[in-house]
Amino acid sequence: MEKIAMLGGGSWATALTKILSENGARVGWWLRSKDDVQHLRNTRHNPRYLSSVAHDLTRVFPSTNLEDVVREADWLVLAVPAAFVQAVLDKLDRDALRNKRVISAIKGMIPGKNVLVTDYVADRFRLPHAQVGVVAGPCHAEEVALEKQSYLTIGSPDSVLAEDFCRLLRNRYVKANPAPDLDGIEYFSVMKNIIALTAGIAHGLGYGDNFQAVLVSNAIQEMRRFVHALNPQPRDLSGSAYLGDLLVTAYSQFSRNRSFGNMVGRGYSVKSAQLEMNMIAEGYYAVKSIYELNRKLMVPMPITSAAYHILYEKISPAVEIELLKEKFR
């Protein structure tokens, strides 16, 4: 039986716990809230996210003891918001992950440091990149809970690690495939949230599907330029880990980044939108990280720049999107 440490109490952590435990893995599930852990132990349901999912407590072991959960595991799956990753992982000894394989299910970067989650983990715990991987693809947690057909990609430079984790995920409604492009997949996972957020702003302002289609088609070019500048290699960006993830995040009713942007476009302040959602929109933090990284690269990134101006410089969304639309072809 594979032993997995799941870190995080949100919807994606809940969905992944469901998949992995139903496939026979033992999942030690770390949650920050003692009340949530007790509720799970008493009822088998996460009280805050995907509460319809009933967990098998002979395979799922909720706990607030981070060190115990990690110590007993072969795999560590990170599913906490990127803004909190450093605070959580810094509680662990630097040798705590020495013999473990680490999968990031986080589609964000470490704020302030502007580094990918897998890079932070490898550096903090002195791990080779062949020991880490990332989960990507168009796969909303809400649809996983409903057992809708979903597709995932595991990106890692170690093909054995990627295939091993794919096997842990595959079932009748989840298909999973390995890929070697760790950095490209992870950067796309981060950037698609920026695009979805900007699409939401445009929608909140009253722009329609025609404009959104043009925004997304320009976005794939912007993302290609940026990732190629950082990590040039051949990539088929029509794949589900790239274009597929972008499309579902930009268009789906379940996209928290699109929802957050929609509220900003309708006139909400950033703070009020965050409070109303009661969920983390990773794109808000990603905008700042990618924008600051690009100050050195100087890649043309009009969509990211527009989002940054709106969210961090408080430029009017209507004015910024009006300027942005003149840059599209």
Side-chain angles (χ1 to χ4, degrees):
M1 181 183 292
E2 295 278 0
K3 293 177 288 187
I4 296 167
M6 179 66 63
L7 272 54
S11 56
W12 196 210
T14 305
L16 287 170
T17 297
K18 166 185 166 64
I19 296 169
L20 293 164
S21 62
E22 289 179 354
N23 280 353
R26 180 195 188 281
V27 182
W29 188 2
W30 177 80
L31 300 95
R32 185 174 55 180
S33 167
K34 292 181 179 179
D35 290 342
D36 290 355
V37 167
Q38 195 59 51
H39 192 278
L40 268 160
R41 289 173 177 171
N42 292 339
T43 70
R44 302 190 299 140
H45 298 271
N46 185 340
R48 297 176 187 268
Y49 301 96
L50 303 184
S51 55
S52 64
V53 175
H55 298 278
D56 182 350
L57 297 184
T58 66
R59 293 178 179 170
V60 176
F61 301 89
S63 174
T64 57
N65 192 315
L66 178 65
E67 290 81 4
D68 284 353
V69 166
V70 171
R71 186 184 306 113
E72 296 173 6
D74 305 310
W75 295 84
L76 178 70
V77 179
L78 297 170
V80 298
F84 306 137
V85 170
Q86 186 174 354
V88 171
L89 292 184
D90 282 359
K91 296 175 183 178
L92 296 172
D93 184 84
R94 292 195 67 171
D95 292 325
L97 307 185
R98 177 178 293 175
N99 299 315
K100 304 181 191 303
R101 295 193 279 184
V102 182
I103 299 292
S104 173
I106 302 165
K107 298 183 177 182
M109 301 180 73
I110 307 297
K113 293 183 177 295
N114 300 338
V115 298
L116 296 172
V117 172
T118 56
D119 286 340
Y120 173 75
V121 170
D123 180 65
R124 171 72 175 77
F125 296 98
R126 298 172 292 201
L127 303 178
H129 275 82
Q131 208 168 316
V132 300
V134 62
V135 180
C139 195
H140 281 306
E142 293 81 0
E143 290 199 355
V144 170
L146 295 170
E147 300 189 355
K148 300 286 189 182
Q149 187 66 55
S150 301
Y151 294 78
L152 290 171
T153 299
I154 306 304
S156 176
D158 187 320
S159 60
V160 175
L161 178 149
E163 178 57 33
D164 284 350
F165 201 73
C166 284
R167 282 198 295 268
L168 292 173
L169 294 171
R170 291 180 185 127
N171 60 25
R172 63 180 176 79
Y173 60 90
V174 174
K175 295 186 181 299
N177 294 293
D181 182 22
L182 175 63
D183 284 355
I185 288 172
E186 196 166 3
Y187 273 116
F188 260 74
S189 294
V190 171
M191 295 180 69
K192 54 90 179 181
N193 288 329
I194 299 172
I195 307 309
L197 192 155
T198 310
I201 292 173
H203 185 266
L205 288 167
Y207 287 82
D209 292 344
N210 294 343
F211 179 75
Q212 178 154 323
V214 174
L215 187 151
V216 170
S217 64
N218 277 265
I220 198 76
Q221 299 172 48
E222 179 170 318
M223 295 161 80
R224 177 192 291 113
R225 289 193 296 267
F226 181 79
V227 174
H228 186 77
L230 282 169
N231 184 262
Q233 61 175 277
R235 293 181 173 95
D236 179 7
L237 300 185
S238 65
S240 62
Y242 306 101
L243 180 59
D245 204 1
L246 170 62
L247 291 175
V248 76
T249 310
Y251 285 93
S252 174
Q253 61 177 319
F254 295 124
S255 171
R256 66 190 66 176
N257 289 283
R258 178 182 166 90
S259 297
F260 175 80
N262 186 54
M263 285 190 278
V264 172
R266 286 162 47 204
Y268 283 65
S269 68
V270 167
K271 188 67 174 178
S272 60
Q274 289 172 328
L275 288 171
E276 181 156 327
M277 284 185 65
N278 195 32
M279 298 175 80
I280 299 293
E282 294 280 17
Y284 172 72
Y285 300 99
V287 167
K288 192 170 189 290
S289 291
I290 296 297
Y291 184 85
E292 290 180 350
L293 278 175
N294 196 45
R295 282 176 170 163
K296 295 181 179 179
L297 298 172
M298 298 299 291
V299 173
M301 299 184 71
I303 301 172
T304 300
S305 296
Y308 180 85
H309 295 157
I310 292 167
L311 298 178
Y312 289 93
E313 296 182 346
K314 299 183 179 180
I315 304 298
S316 162
V319 170
E320 199 63 42
I321 299 300
E322 183 71 23
L323 293 171
L324 180 63
K325 75 180 189 182
E326 295 303 317
K327 299 174 183 178
F328 289 165
R329 295 290 182 268

